[in-house]
Amino acid sequence: MPKRNSHERLSKRLQKYLTRLNELKFEVDKRQCLSGRDVVPPKKKVLPECIVRFCELDFEGRQLVEAALIARLKAYAPYSKFKVGAAFRSKAGDIFTGCNIENVAFTPSCCAERTALVKAVSEEHTTFTGGAVVAYHPDAFITPCGVCRQFILEFAKKDIPIYVASAPEHDDALPMIEDEHKVLITSIYNLMPRSFSSFE
Ligand SMILES: O=c1ccn([C@H]2C[C@H](O)[C@@H](CO)O2)c(=O)[nH]1
Ligand SMILES: [Zn+2]
């Protein structure tokens, strides 16, 4: 299938350019900072963001998205009816999943991302190499809320990829995600630029 191969080559080249662009941006930021034009020294390397088809993800990325899709089926969302699933891979290689859990008083609700991380951290897994978030939306990527971004950041020693994909509209759909389905690969530093990280 020559068409698909050339598409894959192009997307690989694009990812390479984006990585280089980020490196250059990092260098520019550093120089601006040294010349006193920026108050906050950028210390972090940020992963490039891109949108790919599900079948173009590596095995680990596909596994995270699939785990999040399965976790979403357990969502307890009687108020918003908006079901979310999340999955995070710990440094040891274990996948922890979670769904959103709502409450009649609304405020005590827990997002899928935090459910997954709370499960993991309570079992002594405190460093993660990647995560996935899924919810159904016909034409937008649903990214983690602000609280979850801060929560994820707490357990990321460096930038980690966050895969964002749409879940199927109906829970009984099979397969749960098609090969051609678009996946946003963002990262926690992209989602949380210039974050608060320390008061020391
Ligand atoms: O990234 C997100 C965004 C929203 N929600 C949940 C919170 C609430 O239960 C429902 C509607 O906001 O979706 C998540 O779990 N994760
Ligand atoms: Zn959240």
Side-chain angles (χ1 to χ4, degrees):
M1 290 192 290
K3 209 169 157 204
R4 182 158 159 175
N5 280 341
S6 75
H7 180 91
E8 273 166 19
R9 266 206 311 276
L10 265 173
S11 131
K12 282 223 171 79
R13 266 176 67 185
L14 184 63
Q15 281 187 42
K16 231 172 86 186
Y17 284 129
L18 285 170
T19 306
R20 184 68 192 128
L21 191 67
N22 250 306
E23 282 167 6
L24 292 171
K25 197 169 153 280
F26 179 76
E27 215 29 62
V28 169
D29 279 357
K30 203 163 75 186
R31 284 178 198 193
Q32 273 194 342
C33 175
L34 289 175
S35 67
R37 273 182 284 151
D38 195 341
V39 282
V40 186
K43 296 174 284 208
K44 305 163 170 178
K45 273 234 149 141
V46 182
L47 294 170
E49 276 190 315
C50 59
I51 295 172
V52 300
R53 292 177 301 161
F54 178 67
C55 62
E56 289 172 321
L57 292 181
D58 58 17
F59 176 70
E60 310 227 314
R62 288 201 302 272
Q63 234 188 358
L64 277 177
V65 171
E66 278 168 350
L69 285 167
I70 293 167
R72 177 179 169 274
L73 299 175
K74 304 277 196 314
Y76 177 75
Y79 307 106
S80 72
K81 312 261 192 283
F82 190 71
K83 298 180 174 187
V84 186
F88 286 86
R89 189 189 305 277
S90 74
K91 202 173 80 181
D94 299 300
I95 294 181
F96 290 86
T97 62
C99 58
N100 54 330
I101 303 167
E102 297 182 347
N103 187 276
V104 65
F106 286 22
T107 312
S109 299
C110 191
C111 292
E113 298 88 323
R114 277 177 291 137
T115 304
L117 288 176
V118 162
K119 281 166 68 181
V121 174
S122 63
E123 291 184 25
E124 284 183 302
H125 294 259
T126 52
T127 304
F128 302 90
T129 57
V133 183
V134 299
Y136 169 70
H137 196 287
D139 49 29
F141 290 115
I142 302 296
T143 54
C145 78
V147 173
C148 287
R149 290 176 194 207
Q150 186 73 46
F151 208 93
I152 298 166
L153 194 64
E154 183 74 22
F155 302 107
K157 298 264 185 304
K158 57 183 174 80
D159 203 9
I160 58 165
I162 307 287
Y163 302 90
V164 181
S166 179
E169 185 175 5
H170 304 290
D171 286 358
D172 56 358
L174 279 174
M176 294 181 85
I177 185 161
E178 305 274 354
D179 272 355
E180 300 304 310
H181 218 88
K182 294 277 191 298
V183 178
L184 165 69
I185 312 178
T186 181
S187 74
I188 191 56
Y189 288 176
N190 275 294
L191 292 170
M192 206 60 179
R194 296 200 186 279
S195 61
F196 174 78
S197 53
S198 173
F199 46 77
E200 281 161 0

